[in-house]
Amino acid sequence: MNDDYTGHVEPGGAAAARFVDMDGARVEVRKLSVGPMDNNAYVLRDTASSQALLIDAANDADRLLVELAGLELVGIVTTHGHRDHWQALGPVAAATDAPVYLHPADEDLVPREAERALADGQRIGFGAAEVAVIHTPGHTPGSSCLLLGRCHLFTGDTLFPGGPGRTTTPEDHERIMDGLEEKVFDRLLDDTWVYPGHGDDTTLGAERPHLADWRERGW
């Protein structure tokens, strides 16, 4: 990995990029902030093949298409169904012919039908690389995270610096906390880098000491 990547990007500003080396693959992770809600969109590029995966076509379709120029986009993953995460989905999918991935529990929230259903444990390949799907309901019923390699986690609105994403009922708060503890913090190491759906990045090590406080403070 290149050491100058911090995970901070300015709304409408230049993308930040790093390279991640894994067994059999090298992936460029490119992060940019789009739209009025400072949504993060991520372009994952397998450097050997230039096949790519887009995580959250959130807004600014023209800008996303510039970032994708020259790449073979093999999929667009929508981490969850809230409107601010799919504003550019239709135009980008139409321009690239890339299939759209979404968890079925959120299909009623997104007007553009997904060609592929996300499922817990599923793997989505691009070139020699792949991401693993981790279903973490709570923020929405279909909210899902994506794990690249051993320690690069794209969390949508499930986890941010400072805690889990917003929930609207005590039951949903329990769901998001259960998913984070059982599927994320119990399985992944402290050096796991967290790429959220808005704002700056963090690590599991920075957030782990606060798990009990998050659960106690409730929704």
Side-chain angles (χ1 to χ4, degrees), residues 92-131:
V92 173
T96 61
D97 289 325
V100 173
Y101 291 79
L102 177 72
H103 195 282
D106 278 7
E107 63 183 7
D108 291 343
L109 299 175
V110 182
R112 200 247 185 235
E113 185 176 354
E115 288 83 11
R116 310 276 174 83
L118 290 179
D120 192 55
Q122 174 186 7
R123 295 183 178 272
I124 304 171
F126 55 105
E130 64 179 15
V131 295

Short mmCIF file of all heavy atoms in Angstrom, two decimals, residues 92-131:
data_model
loop_
_atom_site.label_atom_id
_atom_site.label_comp_id
_atom_site.label_asym_id
_atom_site.label_seq_id
_atom_site.Cartn_x
_atom_site.Cartn_y
_atom_site.Cartn_z
N VAL A 92 -25.08 5.63 -14.90
CA VAL A 92 -23.81 4.91 -14.97
C VAL A 92 -24.03 3.49 -15.48
O VAL A 92 -23.26 2.98 -16.31
CB VAL A 92 -23.10 4.90 -13.60
CG1 VAL A 92 -21.87 4.00 -13.63
CG2 VAL A 92 -22.71 6.31 -13.20
N ALA A 93 -25.07 2.84 -15.01
CA ALA A 93 -25.36 1.49 -15.50
C ALA A 93 -25.69 1.50 -16.99
O ALA A 93 -25.24 0.62 -17.75
CB ALA A 93 -26.51 0.88 -14.71
N ALA A 94 -26.44 2.50 -17.44
CA ALA A 94 -26.80 2.58 -18.86
C ALA A 94 -25.58 2.84 -19.73
O ALA A 94 -25.45 2.28 -20.82
CB ALA A 94 -27.84 3.68 -19.06
N ALA A 95 -24.66 3.67 -19.24
CA ALA A 95 -23.49 4.02 -20.03
C ALA A 95 -22.46 2.91 -20.09
O ALA A 95 -21.68 2.82 -21.05
CB ALA A 95 -22.85 5.29 -19.47
N THR A 96 -22.43 2.04 -19.09
CA THR A 96 -21.39 1.01 -19.00
C THR A 96 -21.90 -0.40 -19.26
O THR A 96 -21.08 -1.31 -19.44
CB THR A 96 -20.74 1.04 -17.61
OG1 THR A 96 -21.76 0.76 -16.62
CG2 THR A 96 -20.11 2.40 -17.33
N ASP A 97 -23.21 -0.61 -19.22
CA ASP A 97 -23.81 -1.95 -19.32
C ASP A 97 -23.38 -2.86 -18.19
O ASP A 97 -23.44 -4.09 -18.32
CB ASP A 97 -23.48 -2.61 -20.67
CG ASP A 97 -24.22 -1.95 -21.83
OD1 ASP A 97 -25.37 -1.52 -21.64
OD2 ASP A 97 -23.62 -1.87 -22.93
N ALA A 98 -22.94 -2.29 -17.08
CA ALA A 98 -22.50 -3.11 -15.95
C ALA A 98 -23.72 -3.56 -15.14
O ALA A 98 -24.65 -2.78 -14.92
CB ALA A 98 -21.56 -2.31 -15.05
N PRO A 99 -23.73 -4.80 -14.67
CA PRO A 99 -24.84 -5.26 -13.84
C PRO A 99 -24.83 -4.59 -12.48
O PRO A 99 -23.77 -4.26 -11.93
CB PRO A 99 -24.59 -6.77 -13.71
CG PRO A 99 -23.12 -6.91 -13.90
CD PRO A 99 -22.72 -5.86 -14.89
N VAL A 100 -26.02 -4.40 -11.93
CA VAL A 100 -26.20 -3.77 -10.63
C VAL A 100 -26.43 -4.84 -9.58
O VAL A 100 -27.22 -5.77 -9.79
CB VAL A 100 -27.38 -2.79 -10.67
CG1 VAL A 100 -27.69 -2.25 -9.28
CG2 VAL A 100 -27.09 -1.64 -11.64
N TYR A 101 -25.74 -4.71 -8.44
CA TYR A 101 -25.89 -5.62 -7.31
C TYR A 101 -26.59 -4.88 -6.16
O TYR A 101 -26.22 -3.76 -5.82
CB TYR A 101 -24.53 -6.10 -6.80
CG TYR A 101 -23.78 -7.02 -7.72
CD1 TYR A 101 -23.08 -6.53 -8.81
CD2 TYR A 101 -23.73 -8.39 -7.48
CE1 TYR A 101 -22.35 -7.37 -9.64
CE2 TYR A 101 -23.00 -9.25 -8.30
CZ TYR A 101 -22.32 -8.73 -9.37
OH TYR A 101 -21.59 -9.57 -10.19
N LEU A 102 -27.57 -5.54 -5.54
CA LEU A 102 -28.29 -4.98 -4.40
C LEU A 102 -28.88 -6.12 -3.59
O LEU A 102 -29.34 -7.12 -4.15
CB LEU A 102 -29.42 -4.05 -4.88
CG LEU A 102 -30.32 -3.43 -3.82
CD1 LEU A 102 -29.58 -2.35 -3.03
CD2 LEU A 102 -31.59 -2.83 -4.46
N HIS A 103 -28.87 -5.97 -2.26
CA HIS A 103 -29.51 -6.99 -1.44
C HIS A 103 -31.03 -6.94 -1.66
O HIS A 103 -31.62 -5.86 -1.67
CB HIS A 103 -29.19 -6.79 0.04
CG HIS A 103 -29.50 -7.98 0.88
ND1 HIS A 103 -30.80 -8.29 1.27
CD2 HIS A 103 -28.71 -8.95 1.38
CE1 HIS A 103 -30.78 -9.38 1.99
NE2 HIS A 103 -29.52 -9.82 2.09
N PRO A 104 -31.69 -8.10 -1.82
CA PRO A 104 -33.14 -8.11 -2.09
C PRO A 104 -33.98 -7.41 -1.03
O PRO A 104 -35.07 -6.91 -1.33
CB PRO A 104 -33.46 -9.60 -2.18
CG PRO A 104 -32.18 -10.27 -2.53
CD PRO A 104 -31.11 -9.45 -1.88
N ALA A 105 -33.50 -7.36 0.21
CA ALA A 105 -34.28 -6.72 1.26
C ALA A 105 -34.44 -5.22 1.05
O ALA A 105 -35.32 -4.60 1.67
CB ALA A 105 -33.64 -6.99 2.63
N ASP A 106 -33.62 -4.64 0.18
CA ASP A 106 -33.72 -3.21 -0.11
C ASP A 106 -34.27 -2.92 -1.50
O ASP A 106 -34.27 -1.76 -1.93
CB ASP A 106 -32.35 -2.55 0.03
CG ASP A 106 -31.99 -2.22 1.47
OD1 ASP A 106 -32.74 -2.61 2.38
OD2 ASP A 106 -30.94 -1.57 1.68
N GLU A 107 -34.75 -3.93 -2.20
CA GLU A 107 -35.15 -3.71 -3.59
C GLU A 107 -36.29 -2.71 -3.73
O GLU A 107 -36.38 -2.00 -4.74
CB GLU A 107 -35.51 -5.03 -4.26
CG GLU A 107 -36.69 -5.76 -3.65
CD GLU A 107 -36.95 -7.11 -4.31
OE1 GLU A 107 -36.13 -7.54 -5.15
OE2 GLU A 107 -37.97 -7.73 -3.98
N ASP A 108 -37.16 -2.62 -2.73
CA ASP A 108 -38.27 -1.66 -2.81
C ASP A 108 -37.82 -0.22 -2.64
O ASP A 108 -38.59 0.71 -2.91
CB ASP A 108 -39.32 -1.99 -1.76
CG ASP A 108 -40.06 -3.29 -2.04
OD1 ASP A 108 -39.98 -3.77 -3.19
OD2 ASP A 108 -40.68 -3.83 -1.11
N LEU A 109 -36.59 -0.01 -2.20
CA LEU A 109 -36.08 1.34 -1.97
C LEU A 109 -35.40 1.94 -3.20
O LEU A 109 -35.14 3.15 -3.23
CB LEU A 109 -35.08 1.34 -0.80
CG LEU A 109 -35.61 0.90 0.55
CD1 LEU A 109 -34.47 0.84 1.57
CD2 LEU A 109 -36.71 1.83 1.03
N VAL A 110 -35.10 1.10 -4.19
CA VAL A 110 -34.32 1.55 -5.35
C VAL A 110 -35.16 1.38 -6.61
O VAL A 110 -35.56 0.25 -6.93
CB VAL A 110 -33.00 0.75 -5.47
CG1 VAL A 110 -32.17 1.24 -6.65
CG2 VAL A 110 -32.20 0.85 -4.17
N PRO A 111 -35.44 2.45 -7.35
CA PRO A 111 -36.32 2.32 -8.51
C PRO A 111 -35.70 1.56 -9.68
O PRO A 111 -36.43 1.00 -10.49
CB PRO A 111 -36.59 3.78 -8.90
CG PRO A 111 -35.46 4.56 -8.33
CD PRO A 111 -35.06 3.85 -7.08
N ARG A 112 -34.38 1.51 -9.75
CA ARG A 112 -33.72 0.77 -10.84
C ARG A 112 -33.51 -0.68 -10.40
O ARG A 112 -32.83 -0.97 -9.42
CB ARG A 112 -32.39 1.44 -11.19
CG ARG A 112 -31.90 1.05 -12.59
CD ARG A 112 -30.65 0.22 -12.45
NE ARG A 112 -30.07 -0.07 -13.76
CZ ARG A 112 -29.82 -1.30 -14.19
NH1 ARG A 112 -30.11 -2.35 -13.42
NH2 ARG A 112 -29.30 -1.50 -15.37
N GLU A 113 -34.09 -1.61 -11.11
CA GLU A 113 -34.02 -3.01 -10.73
C GLU A 113 -32.58 -3.53 -10.83
O GLU A 113 -31.86 -3.22 -11.78
CB GLU A 113 -34.92 -3.85 -11.63
CG GLU A 113 -35.01 -5.31 -11.22
CD GLU A 113 -35.99 -6.09 -12.07
OE1 GLU A 113 -36.69 -5.45 -12.89
OE2 GLU A 113 -36.05 -7.33 -11.91
N ALA A 114 -32.18 -4.31 -9.84
CA ALA A 114 -30.84 -4.89 -9.83
C ALA A 114 -30.84 -6.21 -10.60
O ALA A 114 -31.76 -7.02 -10.49
CB ALA A 114 -30.37 -5.13 -8.40
N GLU A 115 -29.77 -6.42 -11.38
CA GLU A 115 -29.62 -7.69 -12.10
C GLU A 115 -29.10 -8.81 -11.21
O GLU A 115 -29.35 -9.99 -11.47
CB GLU A 115 -28.65 -7.52 -13.28
CG GLU A 115 -29.18 -6.73 -14.45
CD GLU A 115 -29.06 -5.23 -14.27
OE1 GLU A 115 -28.36 -4.81 -13.32
OE2 GLU A 115 -29.66 -4.49 -15.05
N ARG A 116 -28.36 -8.45 -10.15
CA ARG A 116 -27.74 -9.46 -9.30
C ARG A 116 -28.12 -9.19 -7.84
O ARG A 116 -28.09 -8.05 -7.38
CB ARG A 116 -26.21 -9.41 -9.43
CG ARG A 116 -25.72 -9.43 -10.90
CD ARG A 116 -25.64 -10.81 -11.47
NE ARG A 116 -25.31 -10.79 -12.89
CZ ARG A 116 -24.10 -10.69 -13.40
NH1 ARG A 116 -23.06 -10.59 -12.58
NH2 ARG A 116 -23.92 -10.70 -14.70
N ALA A 117 -28.44 -10.25 -7.11
CA ALA A 117 -28.81 -10.12 -5.70
C ALA A 117 -27.58 -10.34 -4.83
O ALA A 117 -26.84 -11.31 -5.00
CB ALA A 117 -29.88 -11.14 -5.35
N LEU A 118 -27.37 -9.42 -3.88
CA LEU A 118 -26.31 -9.62 -2.90
C LEU A 118 -26.76 -10.62 -1.84
O LEU A 118 -27.94 -10.65 -1.46
CB LEU A 118 -25.98 -8.30 -2.20
CG LEU A 118 -25.27 -7.21 -3.00
CD1 LEU A 118 -25.05 -5.98 -2.11
CD2 LEU A 118 -23.95 -7.70 -3.56
N ALA A 119 -25.82 -11.44 -1.37
CA ALA A 119 -26.11 -12.40 -0.31
C ALA A 119 -24.90 -12.52 0.60
O ALA A 119 -23.76 -12.39 0.15
CB ALA A 119 -26.45 -13.77 -0.90
N ASP A 120 -25.16 -12.74 1.87
CA ASP A 120 -24.08 -12.88 2.85
C ASP A 120 -23.12 -13.99 2.43
O ASP A 120 -23.55 -15.11 2.12
CB ASP A 120 -24.67 -13.18 4.22
CG ASP A 120 -23.65 -13.04 5.33
OD1 ASP A 120 -23.04 -11.97 5.43
OD2 ASP A 120 -23.47 -14.01 6.10
N GLY A 121 -21.83 -13.68 2.39
CA GLY A 121 -20.83 -14.66 2.01
C GLY A 121 -20.54 -14.74 0.53
O GLY A 121 -19.58 -15.41 0.13
N GLN A 122 -21.33 -14.08 -0.27
CA GLN A 122 -21.12 -14.08 -1.73
C GLN A 122 -19.80 -13.41 -2.07
O GLN A 122 -19.34 -12.49 -1.39
CB GLN A 122 -22.28 -13.32 -2.37
CG GLN A 122 -22.17 -13.07 -3.86
CD GLN A 122 -23.32 -12.19 -4.34
OE1 GLN A 122 -24.10 -11.68 -3.53
NE2 GLN A 122 -23.42 -12.00 -5.63
N ARG A 123 -19.18 -13.85 -3.17
CA ARG A 123 -17.95 -13.23 -3.66
C ARG A 123 -18.19 -12.67 -5.06
O ARG A 123 -18.80 -13.34 -5.90
CB ARG A 123 -16.80 -14.23 -3.66
CG ARG A 123 -16.45 -14.67 -2.23
CD ARG A 123 -15.26 -15.60 -2.16
NE ARG A 123 -14.96 -15.95 -0.78
CZ ARG A 123 -14.16 -15.23 0.01
NH1 ARG A 123 -13.57 -14.14 -0.48
NH2 ARG A 123 -13.94 -15.60 1.26
N ILE A 124 -17.73 -11.45 -5.26
CA ILE A 124 -17.89 -10.77 -6.54
C ILE A 124 -16.51 -10.51 -7.11
O ILE A 124 -15.70 -9.79 -6.50
CB ILE A 124 -18.67 -9.45 -6.36
CG1 ILE A 124 -20.02 -9.69 -5.69
CG2 ILE A 124 -18.84 -8.75 -7.71
CD1 ILE A 124 -20.73 -8.42 -5.28
N GLY A 125 -16.24 -11.07 -8.27
CA GLY A 125 -14.92 -10.97 -8.84
C GLY A 125 -14.80 -9.84 -9.86
O GLY A 125 -15.74 -9.48 -10.54
N PHE A 126 -13.58 -9.30 -9.94
CA PHE A 126 -13.22 -8.36 -10.99
C PHE A 126 -11.74 -8.59 -11.29
O PHE A 126 -10.89 -8.38 -10.46
CB PHE A 126 -13.51 -6.90 -10.60
CG PHE A 126 -12.86 -6.45 -9.32
CD1 PHE A 126 -11.77 -5.60 -9.34
CD2 PHE A 126 -13.35 -6.86 -8.09
CE1 PHE A 126 -11.16 -5.18 -8.16
CE2 PHE A 126 -12.76 -6.44 -6.90
CZ PHE A 126 -11.66 -5.60 -6.94
N GLY A 127 -11.47 -9.08 -12.51
CA GLY A 127 -10.12 -9.52 -12.82
C GLY A 127 -9.69 -10.64 -11.90
O GLY A 127 -10.45 -11.58 -11.63
N ALA A 128 -8.48 -10.53 -11.35
CA ALA A 128 -7.96 -11.55 -10.43
C ALA A 128 -8.38 -11.28 -8.99
O ALA A 128 -8.03 -12.06 -8.10
CB ALA A 128 -6.44 -11.61 -10.53
N ALA A 129 -9.10 -10.22 -8.76
CA ALA A 129 -9.49 -9.82 -7.40
C ALA A 129 -10.96 -10.14 -7.15
O ALA A 129 -11.72 -10.44 -8.06
CB ALA A 129 -9.22 -8.33 -7.20
N GLU A 130 -11.36 -10.03 -5.88
CA GLU A 130 -12.75 -10.22 -5.52
C GLU A 130 -13.03 -9.54 -4.19
O GLU A 130 -12.11 -9.26 -3.40
CB GLU A 130 -13.10 -11.70 -5.42
CG GLU A 130 -12.37 -12.45 -4.33
CD GLU A 130 -12.76 -13.92 -4.26
OE1 GLU A 130 -13.37 -14.43 -5.21
OE2 GLU A 130 -12.44 -14.55 -3.22
N VAL A 131 -14.31 -9.26 -3.96
CA VAL A 131 -14.77 -8.79 -2.65
C VAL A 131 -15.75 -9.80 -2.10
O VAL A 131 -16.44 -10.50 -2.86
CB VAL A 131 -15.42 -7.39 -2.71
CG1 VAL A 131 -14.41 -6.34 -3.12
CG2 VAL A 131 -16.62 -7.38 -3.65
#
